[in-house]
Amino acid sequence: MVTPLATALLALTCLAARSSASTSAQEPVPKDSESEPSTGTLREDAAAGGAPEPTTVPKAALPAAAVPEGSVPAGAINPAGPAPTLPPRERVRWGWLTHPLSPTPSQYQVRKGQSPHRVLPLPSVRAQPGVGLMLGANISYAYRRKEGDPNRIYMIFESRVSLKKVQDHSFFIRLRDLLRREEVFEFGVLGYVDPVFPYFGIGNNNNLEGIDLQARYYQTHLNTVGGALTYQHPLWRLPALGDKPPGLLRSYVGLAYYVDRVKPYDNSLLLAEHPAADLDARRGLIRLGLTWDRRDNEWSPGKGSLFDVIVDNAGPWTGSTDAWGRFSANFRTYWTLGVDKLVLAHRLSFDALWGDAPLVPLGEFGGLLPTDGLGGAAAGRGWMRRRYIGRLKAFGSLELRFEPLELKVRRHTLGIGLKGFVDLGVVADRMQDLPKHWHVSGGTGLQVIWDRFAVLRLDAGFSRESFGIYFINEHAF
């Protein structure tokens, strides 16, 4: 006989079983619940300890930031909810200029694991008008702590002989920040044998078009040996402003000593103009000046400037054969045009001599590293080497450099570029005659930058008198 109390208990038991089955049917079972052992749930704890059961919140109702990444399929987050905050992304300009073979979009990007040492031994092949094809070898070394920093150590040794028996042997080293004061030490020695050293007369502005400029009549024999030691001390530093690199003003002091042996050929122009003169010379120099360096790098600048104003003084007190002096000023500026691989480079130079200046300085531009001019690989690539010489010289050059390719060759970086340039120069013996004769040349070329420290260039220059093809290391300026 079933009592009313038993009947009521049986009914309550059936209702509880029905409610539990309904709840189990509504809750989804985790995908991995069959393979993962149970470690206890809040519901079981609530049943055991009498704590209230937590309320289940659907994932779609949670904010986007509260949902673990990868736990919700695409489109499951409510688009009306708060969007994730991303860091601002810099807009890339001129992106179409970045070649797909280029390992980096910028030649100044820091590379992880890049060695601070760069060594490049190469067979040396150079060519320029009046010298001919030169064969030899060189080795370059650079050390810098990280990409984009100036070279703390730069060294190059070169030895070459041309098919015209011109010999060029030199060693140069630059030490930067050796004393931790951002100073610069430079030391160089050279030996030069040139049986085809050119001489076209002092201040000869006549048009020599159609004349054999490499004839023996315009040549002499020159031997030069010597060296120089210089020091640049920091005076004032300008911090970097935006994308502009920092600048540093330095004082410049140096000593140099060279010995020239000049032997004119018979029936040559030099012998005709100086029949009884002893052209041999000893050139001992004391050098003083100022330099301003604001380049982003020194091997292939894309931004900034490099200025130098230097006075040389020579005389018996310096071991020189004659008393003479030189004032030189060189201004080089570099602009990046929209992208760091398109660079406009500009150079302005002025050189003035006084006293009894020897033959060699009459055809040089002074400065940090004296170079031939006007005419040659550094100043006036469309003119013959040292075509225009004199006491007063002025020169300007504009060069557009474009490096669209940067390739990865094993662990090395190879940049390949194009260039176009225009050169303008004047020479005279007196200041009032300087603007009377203007000489123009121009041309185009290729450039290769190895590991962002060694530059090789192939330039072709043209003028009304001649043309020249140059295969040489380092930029013209």
Side-chain angles (χ1 to χ4, degrees):
M1 181 175 179
V2 180
T3 64
L5 179 59
T7 303
L9 289 174
L10 182 61
L12 288 174
T13 303
C14 292
L15 287 175
R18 218 178 266 177
S19 174
S20 175
S22 175
T23 303
S24 301
Q26 291 178 4
E27 291 181 0
V29 179
K31 193 172 184 179
D32 299 330
S33 60
E34 297 178 0
S35 59
E36 294 182 0
S38 174
T39 59
T41 63
L42 291 176
R43 183 174 289 109
E44 292 172 352
D45 295 338
E53 183 175 344
T55 304
T56 302
V57 181
K59 286 185 178 181
L62 294 174
V67 181
E69 184 179 356
S71 62
V72 181
I77 298 179
N78 183 9
T85 303
L86 298 177
R89 186 174 184 180
E90 183 179 358
R91 180 172 175 262
V92 179
R93 299 180 59 195
W94 299 62
W96 58 275
L97 289 177
T98 303
H99 195 275
L101 296 179
S102 176
T104 61
S106 169
Q107 62 174 326
Y108 309 116
Q109 181 172 339
V110 177
R111 295 170 179 267
K112 294 182 178 180
Q114 182 77 33
S115 172
H117 304 279
R118 289 164 170 81
V119 182
L120 182 62
L122 282 177
S124 179
V125 180
R126 293 179 64 172
Q128 59 177 313
V131 176
L133 182 66
M134 299 192 77
L135 304 175
N138 67 49
I139 181 169
S140 302
Y141 169 78
Y143 170 80
R144 57 177 178 263
R145 289 179 173 177
K146 61 181 180 179
E147 197 73 21
D149 282 359
N151 292 326
R152 298 197 66 189
I153 302 175
Y154 175 72
M155 178 183 67
I156 182 169
F157 172 76
E158 299 179 287
S159 182
R160 293 180 296 268
V161 179
S162 85
L163 299 181
K164 294 187 177 182
K165 301 180 180 180
V166 177
Q167 299 184 40
D168 182 7
H169 313 285
S170 63
F171 171 78
F172 174 80
I173 185 170
R174 178 187 295 121
L175 304 175
R176 188 187 300 270
D177 203 23
L178 192 65
L179 305 177
R180 308 293 179 141
R181 296 179 179 177
E182 297 186 300
E183 78 293 336
V184 178
F185 285 96
E186 291 182 342
F187 173 74
V189 293
L190 61 85
Y192 200 73
V193 178
D194 191 349
V196 291
F197 185 75
Y199 178 78
F200 299 97
I202 298 174
N204 184 4
N205 291 296
N206 297 322
N207 183 9
L208 302 181
E209 184 179 2
I211 297 176
D212 183 7
L213 300 179
Q214 300 188 44
R216 183 66 80 186
Y217 179 73
Y218 295 112
Q219 294 176 352
T220 189
H221 191 286
L222 172 71
N223 293 349
T224 297
V225 294
L229 174 64
T230 64
Y231 171 71
Q232 300 178 43
H233 185 77
L235 299 177
W236 177 70
R237 181 179 181 86
L238 177 68
L241 301 174
D243 62 344
K244 296 182 179 180
L248 193 58
L249 178 69
R250 296 184 176 98
S251 60
Y252 180 93
V253 60
L255 298 172
Y257 195 83
Y258 303 96
V259 178
D260 304 325
R261 294 287 182 261
V262 182
K263 299 178 181 179
Y265 294 117
D266 293 338
N267 301 320
S268 65
L269 177 61
L270 181 60
L271 187 62
E273 292 187 352
H274 306 275
D278 182 6
L279 300 176
D280 293 347
R282 298 186 306 273
R283 295 181 283 133
L285 302 174
I286 296 177
R287 317 192 72 205
L288 299 173
L290 293 172
T291 68
W292 168 256
D293 192 353
R294 203 185 181 187
R295 297 170 295 172
D296 54 349
N297 66 74
E298 61 186 18
W299 59 93
S300 184
K303 299 176 183 177
S305 56
L306 175 63
F307 303 156
D308 63 81
V309 178
I310 297 175
V311 176
D312 297 337
N313 198 0
W317 54 91
T318 63
S320 293
T321 306
D322 305 298
W324 60 282
R326 172 167 56 195
F327 170 84
S328 61
N330 296 278
F331 305 94
R332 309 165 191 87
T333 52
Y334 309 92
W335 297 278
T336 299
L337 304 181
V339 63
D340 56 10
K341 296 182 180 181
L342 184 63
V343 176
L344 181 64
H346 181 230
R347 171 187 172 183
L348 287 175
S349 297
F350 176 76
D351 190 272
L353 297 167
W354 63 85
D356 298 323
L359 175 63
V360 173
L362 287 171
E364 279 185 344
F365 274 109
L368 297 175
L369 293 174
T371 60
D372 286 343
L374 296 162
R381 283 156 279 185
W383 309 317
M384 287 294 297
R385 182 172 58 121
R386 300 171 64 96
R387 168 62 181 89
Y388 305 102
I389 69 175
R391 292 179 175 274
L392 301 175
K393 296 176 290 292
F395 173 74
S397 183
L398 195 67
E399 185 169 289
L400 185 64
R401 302 167 184 170
F402 179 41
E403 185 193 336
L405 295 180
E406 192 175 77
L407 309 178
K408 191 72 174 178
V409 182
R410 293 187 178 180
R411 299 181 61 183
H412 303 283
T413 302
L414 187 67
I416 302 175
L418 308 171
K419 66 171 65 176
F421 56 87
V422 176
D423 301 328
L424 183 67
V426 290
V427 62
D429 194 55
R430 300 182 305 170
M431 186 66 71
Q432 57 267 34
D433 297 332
L434 198 60
K436 292 183 178 179
H437 303 280
W438 296 85
H439 306 287
V440 182
S441 78
T444 186
L446 302 173
Q447 64 187 29
V448 176
I449 303 176
W450 180 266
D451 270 352
R452 301 188 182 121
F453 90 100
V455 178
L456 302 175
R457 58 184 172 100
L458 175 63
D459 294 344
F462 305 89
S463 68
R464 64 177 182 175
E465 289 185 353
S466 61
F467 72 92
I469 298 178
Y470 305 84
F471 182 65
I472 203 167
N473 60 300
E474 296 188 347
H475 286 300
F477 57 92

